[in-house]
Structure formats: C-alpha cells, structure tokens
Amino acid sequence: MESKYKATRKFSSKLADGDTLQRLIATTDTMLNTLITMSSALLAVIVIFENFVKSPLARIIIVLIFFMGLVISFLGVLPFNIRYDIEEEEELKQQQINTFLRKRRHLWWSAGVLATGFLLIVMDLIIDVINNYSH
C-alpha cells in the first residue's frame, strides 16, 4: 500500500495543474475506446471467418482472449470511484491522479491481452504454413 502511495505522490509532484491531468485522462480514454473498437472488430473477424484460424482449440482461446481484451478496455472507460462532492483542490487532484492511473493500468492490460491474441494468430499461421509446406 505504501509503494502505491509513493508512486502516486511522485506522479502528483510532477504535474503542474489539473488541466494536464484532464488531457491525460482524455487521451487515455481515447486510446481505450480505440482498443474497444479493435477488440470488437478482431472478435467479429475470428467469429465470422471460420478459416482464419485453423485449429479449433486455438480459435476458442483467441476468441476468449479478444473478448477479455474488450472487457478490460470497457472497464477502463467506466467511471469508478468518482466523487462529485469534493471541495478541496488537493483532494480533487488526487482523485484525478487515481483515475488516470487506473485507466492507464486498464490500457496496458488490454493492449497486452490483444498482443497475446495476435501472437497466437501468428503462431497458428506459422504452424499452418509449416504443415502445408511439409506435405
């Protein structure tokens, strides 16, 4: 718990104003929305085109991975732990920092999950090419 507080405090000391935080949160939301769109599109491609991934087990795993990326991105966009009755500027700034850090965590997790899905697709493609080449 203490390390999280130190990281938040260090991050807080580097920011000059609330406007910077608002821009960071807006940019993170935009990236999360892009990941939602990508996850949805990739999920649709995997579901619609049956021959995209040859192995049925790999197909199920990739569908679950892209769905997990979609859920993680969606949860990152939702406004959790926001209080609208804050009057102190420092407390408001701390809330904005916590919101940004939470959204950034969701962004990285979602991107990592999508990268794992892409890696599995590429591995399936390489295995398919090797099998077709050897026959």
Side-chain angles (χ1 to χ4, degrees):
M1 183 71 175
E2 188 175 319
S3 63
K4 181 181 176 186
Y5 178 72
K6 284 182 182 178
T8 305
R9 188 174 168 144
K10 185 171 95 173
F11 184 76
S12 170
S13 66
K14 292 183 179 181
L15 293 174
D17 58 2
D19 188 42
T20 304
L21 277 170
Q22 288 299 328
R23 285 192 310 249
L24 286 172
I25 291 171
T27 302
T28 307
D29 275 339
T30 302
M31 287 189 268
L32 283 166
N33 286 331
T34 302
L35 286 175
I36 289 172
T37 304
M38 285 177 52
S39 299
S40 302
L42 291 167
L43 193 58
V45 166
I46 294 293
V47 169
I48 292 173
F49 298 109
E50 293 179 9
N51 293 335
F52 193 73
V53 176
K54 300 291 183 194
S55 170
L57 178 62
R59 181 184 163 127
I60 290 171
I61 291 171
I62 291 169
V63 165
L64 289 174
I65 285 175
F66 285 149
F67 183 73
M68 200 166 61
L70 176 66
V71 169
I72 292 170
S73 297
F74 182 72
L75 290 175
V77 172
L78 293 178
F80 292 124
N81 299 330
I82 293 181
R83 288 184 35 215
Y84 296 104
D85 61 343
I86 297 176
E87 294 179 11
E88 294 181 28
E89 185 177 333
E90 189 61 35
E91 192 176 345
L92 179 62
K93 188 175 181 179
Q94 188 61 42
Q95 177 179 316
Q96 289 175 331
I97 290 169
N98 292 340
T99 299
F100 170 70
L101 292 174
R102 181 187 61 80
K103 288 178 179 287
R104 188 176 66 174
R105 263 191 316 273
H106 281 271
L107 180 69
W108 280 107
W109 274 103
S110 179
V113 167
L114 287 179
T116 303
F118 280 125
L119 181 66
L120 289 175
I121 289 173
V122 169
M123 286 175 46
D124 182 68
L125 177 66
I126 290 171
I127 291 170
D128 187 44
V129 167
I130 290 171
N131 285 339
N132 287 339
Y133 183 72
S134 64
H135 288 124

